[in-house]
Amino acid sequence: MPDANLRPIVPSDAEAVARIHAESWRHAYRCSLSDSFLDGDLLSNRNRLWTKRLGAVQPAHFGFIADCQGEAIGFCFGFADHDTRWGTQIDNLHVLPAFKGQGIGRSLLRALAIESSLRKADAGLYLWVYEKNAAAATFYEKLGGARADRAVISAPDGGEVSEWRY
């Protein structure tokens, strides 16, 4: 892993988180979301989300950001004890494409898992992966994740997309 530092996400990280989120989506979701949505003003879309989300952080919401030499390169965010059966929902885990495959995603996920267990020791972890995102499915399966439920949801681009709970 490059010399990356992990720290809790704070409200002032909203712009950096939005940038990572948008760039990651443009790279990973070409098979799931429309090109017009991904090539549009995705950064403003994600910036609105993260400014709102981090401006009024709920006690059960938490996340971590990875930075390398002062540049934010990845983040994860979760909702503690979100589901009575499945536990903490990992809502986002994104690493800039240039830094993928270097252990940053695993480190972020580990930090989120540790924090989740500190909040509620017996709660599990789960997340949703777009069905066509084979790289993400492979990543989570290598870490021991297993497909549980399939759902079809309204996608952020206005279409529908299939996803799996892991």
Side-chain angles (χ1 to χ4, degrees):
M1 181 168 98
D3 190 21
N5 297 312
L6 301 186
R7 61 171 176 76
I9 288 178
V10 296
S12 62
D13 290 323
E15 189 174 315
V17 167
R19 180 183 55 81
I20 295 165
H21 200 174
E23 193 169 331
S24 177
W25 272 19
R26 284 190 175 114
H27 178 79
Y29 289 175
R30 287 285 166 193
C31 58
S32 300
L33 302 177
S34 69
D35 287 344
S36 61
F37 176 74
L38 294 172
D39 294 335
D41 195 7
L42 187 57
L43 181 57
S44 290
N45 175 285
R46 298 294 83 194
N47 202 17
R48 280 190 300 278
L49 170 80
W50 288 105
T51 298
K52 180 180 177 182
R53 187 175 278 175
L54 295 178
V57 176
Q58 303 298 314
H61 297 182
F62 63 100
F64 296 90
I65 195 160
D67 102 19
C68 182
Q69 299 177 354
E71 178 190 2
I73 59 171
F75 77 96
C76 63
F77 199 79
F79 305 134
D81 204 24
H82 188 258
D83 185 275
T84 55
R85 177 177 177 198
W86 299 99
T88 295
Q89 180 183 4
I90 303 164
D91 183 57
N92 283 276
L93 174 59
H94 296 281
V95 175
L96 290 174
F99 292 92
K100 285 191 172 188
Q102 300 179 39
I104 296 163
R106 280 188 305 277
S107 293
L108 285 163
L109 191 56
R110 185 179 307 111
L112 193 115
I114 290 168
E115 179 64 23
S116 177
S117 70
L118 292 173
R119 290 168 181 251
K120 187 167 183 184
D122 60 347
L125 287 174
Y126 76 98
L127 57 95
W128 292 94
V129 175
Y130 286 163
E131 187 169 63
K132 292 183 179 179
N133 191 350
T138 299
F139 172 77
Y140 295 116
E141 288 167 7
K142 283 183 179 178
L143 294 174
R147 287 183 178 189
D149 301 318
R150 183 178 184 268
V152 177
I153 62 160
S154 296
D157 66 354
E160 288 188 339
V161 66
S162 300
E163 63 181 5
W164 283 94
R165 183 192 318 255
Y166 277 80

